[in-house]
Amino acid sequence: MSDIIQLLPDHVANQIAAGEVVQRPASVVKELLENAIDAGATTIKLIIKDAGKTLIQVIDDGKGMSTTDARLSFERHATSKIRTADDLFQLHTKGFRGEALASIAAIAHVELKTKQEQDDVGNTIVIEGSNVVSQEVVVTPKGTSIAVKNLFFNIPARRNFLKSNTVELRHIIDEFHRVALAHPNLSFAMYNNGSETFNLPISNYRQRIVNIFGTKTNEKLVPVDEDTEVLKISGFVGKPEYAKKTRGEQYFFVNDRFIKSAYLNHAIASAFDGLLKNGTHPSYFLNLKVDPQTIDINIHPTKTEIKFDDEHTLYALLRSAVKHSLGQFNIAPVLDFERDSNLDTPYSYNNTQTSTPTIEVDRSFNPFQEEKQRGKQTTAFKPTPNNWDSLYVGLESKGTKTQQDFSEVHFESEESTGSLFSEDKQIDNIQTTYQLHNKYIVSTIKSGMLVIDQHRAHQRILYEDFLKNMTIKEAVSQQLLFPLQLHFSVQDIEIINQLKEDLEHTGFIFSSVNKESVEIIGVPVSVPESEVSIILEQLISDVEHEVPDTHFSATDLLAKSMAKSLAIKTGQSLQKDEQEHLVNRLFACKEPNVSPTNRTTFVTMSVDELDKKFI
């Protein structure tokens, strides 16, 4: 039998490795930004076109590379960060696996320009799908510029799996935020399709957060600072009243590296226990400094997951540090056993001798004597009117009239106290719907019983209403007495601008849209003013994560998001007429069987099925 195992060619191996390292354009952005930081850059520029599908370019002013290093950097397992296996537990840099550039070059057109400070000229290398096209001498400033063009050009299947430009750009911005927040001591700039999106100068940590998420963020932050032998914690948490329904503004950095940790996130959530509304999540921007020997970074290709030696201690320290900060800044109620100065003796009475208060008693006072006198007066008083006989004048004539009119008397209660089992009344008062656990509406049908999920049913009703309004563009709007001003981050404002026209067709009226805020003067009739900010936040979140998917239009996505936000919630009690109205509106819909997210809205149970339950 012939041998069947063979070594893979380098270009195939590189493409397989690229599947782990490069999942989308944001993965390339992360690797290139981290390389620029490791190169000692102080100013880093990120240039994006078509959400990274056409161009991703990172320009830095770092130390650059020599001719040999520039060529070797595109080989697999080539790195300047480690020499031995022991170095994996003493990592102070970002990229160390030595596969980033090799993986990127295997699935894109890459152009590298680099120059060291002591050299007169630099080098440029052009690679297409792991093949070196050219390597030449070039005049270029100090540092490195690497441009990645036509991502996944040789893997069309992977390119087809990419989401829309809006979603991919959001992932790129997320990666940009993670790197920029971890390094406020560096200057970052980002340009998208020729326009400047971010320009972040060197600053302290608080200023960096404000520069990214908007000036309104400053008043939401509570500082956290704790220094122990095991862990050093610094950063900020958001005030409970500003908690969001999404987990967007949650950042953990361990030794200046962004990580995801459900365990540590639970520590933050437990510190906020009792301070948050249901369904909301706190914001936090926390830096954790630990000994590199106590963590293992190399357990995931994207290096966003870390294994800690002693997670329980970190959990306890993190929870107590956040809880202490919330109490220290009067965000959370705390028990304070310190002396209250308000209870101290005033200075003017410090040396004054205390005296026993005297009580004066009237020993001759007899309360019973006064009561007896009042009692005698009461019994002695008998009113006797002089014209008492006038009280009975005309009594006989009134009685005669009453007897004559008895046959014509109509009692008011006679009509309402008819037969208790009257057929007509029984039909009028019969209840056709019942609410079960404030979640389901039970109704009778000819064949048996109908059980409706009130939340999903109302979603379907609102979804079709919004879709109709946006299609025919005849939505009714109600004017607000006072304009409503809402603050958002830069990228959220961009999404609102994209959806502004569709939002106006549903009934929203925008008076102005600025760089960090929007002003609304009109809302749809069915939308209460207090729900506007929640609706827009949910809508932005859905667009960012593309719910449902690229195959649906923005109008459809907007209608689904608004219906989800405004639908009757589970647990809400409904009156009898509200239940019947919901049932009637549901079955007037085009597709009453499913909610906008394709979930069942009602189930039926026939009499035969019920009978079988009692066999």
Side-chain angles (χ1 to χ4, degrees):
M1 186 175 179
S2 60
D3 299 332
I4 59 174
I5 296 177
Q6 58 183 348
L7 291 174
L8 288 174
D10 286 343
H11 69 279
V12 177
N14 286 341
Q15 286 188 8
I16 294 172
E20 294 181 353
V21 179
V22 184
Q23 299 172 353
R24 57 191 344 143
S27 306
V28 177
V29 171
K30 174 182 181 293
E31 298 291 348
L32 297 185
L33 288 177
E34 289 181 349
N35 283 345
I37 293 170
D38 287 341
T42 57
T43 302
I44 301 173
K45 293 181 181 178
L46 171 64
I47 301 172
I48 300 295
K49 285 186 180 178
D50 297 332
K53 298 173 184 177
T54 303
L55 173 68
I56 301 170
Q57 186 174 9
V58 173
I59 305 171
D60 67 67
D61 61 351
K63 57 188 177 184
M65 290 183 284
S66 65
T67 305
T68 306
D69 286 346
R71 181 65 187 84
L72 277 176
S73 64
F74 290 98
E75 297 296 331
R76 289 190 67 195
H77 308 302
T79 178
S80 62
K81 316 299 170 54
I82 59 175
R83 292 287 184 269
T84 65
D86 293 336
D87 293 341
L88 288 173
F89 300 98
Q90 291 289 341
L91 287 173
H92 297 279
T93 57
K94 307 284 186 184
F96 58 87
R97 300 179 72 231
E99 291 187 11
L101 290 181
S103 299
I104 294 169
I107 53 174
H109 297 162
V110 179
E111 182 179 356
L112 172 70
K113 293 180 181 178
T114 183
K115 183 178 89 71
Q116 293 180 320
E117 188 172 10
Q118 67 273 16
D119 296 336
D120 296 329
V121 293
N123 291 276
T124 177
I125 299 177
V126 178
I127 299 178
E128 296 180 0
S130 296
N131 298 319
V132 179
V133 177
S134 65
Q135 181 170 356
E136 300 174 353
V137 175
V138 68
V139 176
T140 184
K142 172 207 162 189
T144 302
S145 168
I146 181 165
V148 179
K149 305 174 184 177
N150 304 322
L151 194 65
F152 299 125
F153 80 98
N154 53 355
I155 313 178
R158 288 291 298 275
R159 193 177 181 89
N160 292 336
F161 273 100
L162 294 179
K163 303 291 185 180
S164 66
N165 284 358
T166 304
V167 176
E168 295 300 340
L169 180 62
R170 177 63 191 182
H171 284 286
I172 290 173
I173 290 175
D174 282 344
E175 291 294 347
F176 181 81
H177 285 174
R178 292 167 182 176
V179 176
L181 283 171
H183 299 275
N185 58 326
L186 304 181
S187 173
F188 289 89
M190 177 177 170
Y191 301 88
N192 178 37
N193 293 333
S195 62
E196 183 181 271
T197 306
F198 293 100
N199 190 354
L200 309 175
I202 296 173
S203 61
N204 61 34
Y205 194 43
R206 190 181 196 118
Q207 290 172 334
R208 176 56 56 91
I209 295 172
V210 171
N211 288 337
I212 291 177
F213 296 101
T215 53
K216 200 72 177 176
T217 312
N218 191 34
E219 65 187 48
K220 305 177 184 178
L221 301 178
V222 178
V224 178
D225 192 6
E226 193 71 36
D227 193 355
T228 66
E229 294 179 358
V230 180
L231 173 69
K232 182 179 180 181
I233 305 171
S234 62
F236 300 90
V237 294
K239 294 180 181 178
E241 59 265 32
Y242 297 107
K244 294 187 175 183
K245 290 202 168 187
T246 58
R247 298 179 181 268
E249 298 177 0
Q250 295 185 341
Y251 295 89
F252 275 125
F253 301 98
V254 175
N255 296 350
D256 295 334
R257 183 191 299 275
F258 172 80
I259 67 154
K260 296 176 182 177
S261 174
Y263 188 68
L264 296 183
N265 180 71
H266 189 272
I268 303 293
S270 62
F272 277 87
D273 191 23
L275 300 175
L276 300 176
K277 297 178 182 177
N278 288 334
T280 59
H281 307 281
S283 301
Y284 54 80
F285 313 87
L286 296 174
N287 293 302
L288 311 179
K289 297 288 186 183
V290 298
D291 185 352
Q293 293 185 357
T294 64
I295 58 175
D296 184 4
I297 300 169
N298 199 28
I299 63 170
H300 193 274
T302 60
K303 301 186 289 290
T304 55
E305 296 180 13
I306 289 181
K307 178 64 178 174
F308 296 95
D309 281 355
D310 190 0
E311 286 187 331
H312 298 291
T313 302
L314 297 185
Y315 182 99
L317 289 173
L318 189 59
R319 180 179 179 274
S320 60
V322 173
K323 209 171 185 64
H324 175 69
S325 291
L326 293 174
Q328 186 179 10
F329 291 92
N330 297 323
I331 307 299
V334 295
L335 290 173
D336 188 2
F337 295 103
E338 294 182 0
R339 177 176 53 82
D340 190 349
S341 58
N342 293 326
L343 301 179
D344 291 347
T345 305
Y347 289 114
S348 56
Y349 292 96
N350 266 348
N351 299 321
T352 306
Q353 294 291 332
T354 58
S355 58
T356 305
T358 58
I359 302 174
E360 296 182 0
V361 179
D362 184 4
R363 299 185 182 280
S364 61
F365 175 73
N366 186 356
F368 301 104
Q369 183 179 0
E370 193 174 336
E371 283 188 8
K372 287 180 180 178
Q373 291 177 358
R374 282 204 301 265
K376 289 177 182 178
Q377 290 177 358
T378 305
T379 52
F381 178 73
K382 294 181 180 178
T384 53
N386 295 328
N387 54 348
W388 60 271
D389 53 340
S390 64
L391 295 173
Y392 300 96
V393 174
L395 184 63
E396 186 177 352
S397 62
K398 287 180 182 178
T400 308
K401 184 178 179 181
T402 305
Q403 289 177 357
Q404 292 174 354
D405 294 341
F406 254 128
S407 60
E408 300 177 7
V409 171
H410 295 281
F411 293 101
E412 290 182 358
S413 59
E414 183 178 354
E415 187 176 347
S416 60
T417 57
S419 172
L420 187 61
F421 300 99
S422 168
E423 258 186 51
D424 295 334
K425 299 310 294 178
Q426 194 172 358
I427 293 172
D428 292 342
N429 291 334
I430 191 169
Q431 187 167 350
T432 58
T433 61
Y434 304 88
Q435 192 175 24
L436 182 64
H437 295 302
N438 290 342
K439 183 176 182 180
Y440 300 106
I441 296 174
V442 182
S443 180
T444 56
I445 53 177
K446 287 183 179 179
S447 60
M449 182 174 65
L450 182 74
V451 183
I452 301 171
D453 186 311
Q454 64 184 35
H455 178 61
R456 295 180 185 177
H458 200 213
Q459 276 192 51
R460 164 54 61 178
I461 296 166
L462 293 176
Y463 167 69
E464 294 197 3
D465 285 348
F466 286 133
L467 208 56
K468 179 182 177 183
N469 291 338
M470 284 185 278
T471 304
I472 64 176
K473 302 179 181 179
E474 293 182 358
V476 181
S477 177
Q478 59 180 354
Q479 298 293 312
L480 297 177
L481 186 60
F482 301 103
L484 184 64
Q485 192 165 26
L486 303 174
H487 295 269
F488 296 96
S489 61
V490 177
Q491 60 270 27
D492 290 347
I493 293 293
E494 288 185 5
I495 294 174
I496 290 175
N497 275 323
Q498 294 172 11
L499 300 173
K500 183 181 174 184
E501 186 178 350
D502 288 329
L503 283 169
E504 287 172 343
H505 293 330
T506 65
F508 284 97
I509 301 176
F510 296 88
S511 59
S512 66
V513 180
N514 301 320
K515 189 175 181 180
E516 294 183 358
S517 65
V518 296
E519 190 174 81
I520 300 173
I521 58 174
V523 296
V525 175
S526 58
V527 178
E529 184 179 343
S530 59
E531 295 283 327
V532 173
S533 61
I534 299 173
I535 291 170
L536 291 180
E537 282 181 11
Q538 183 66 54
L539 175 62
I540 290 168
S541 174
D542 287 345
V543 172
E544 288 172 353
H545 300 93
E546 199 157 50
V547 181
D549 211 335
T550 53
H551 306 296
F552 294 84
S553 64
T555 304
D556 185 82
L557 174 59
L558 177 59
K560 284 180 178 170
S561 182
M562 290 181 62
K564 182 170 63 175
S565 299
L566 292 173
I568 295 169
K569 302 296 186 289
T570 297
Q572 184 173 341
S573 178
L574 301 177
Q575 300 296 327
K576 176 187 171 185
D577 53 346
E578 292 174 329
Q579 298 170 23
E580 293 177 352
H581 180 70
L582 187 69
V583 175
N584 294 333
R585 286 289 307 277
L586 174 64
F587 289 101
C589 292
K590 294 180 180 179
E591 295 184 23
N593 297 329
V594 293
S595 70
T597 53
N598 290 323
R599 295 186 175 183
T600 305
T601 55
F602 66 87
V603 293
T604 58
M605 183 172 287
S606 65
V607 176
D608 293 337
E609 290 176 317
L610 287 172
D611 290 340
K612 291 177 183 178
K613 301 288 183 183
F614 293 94
I615 294 176

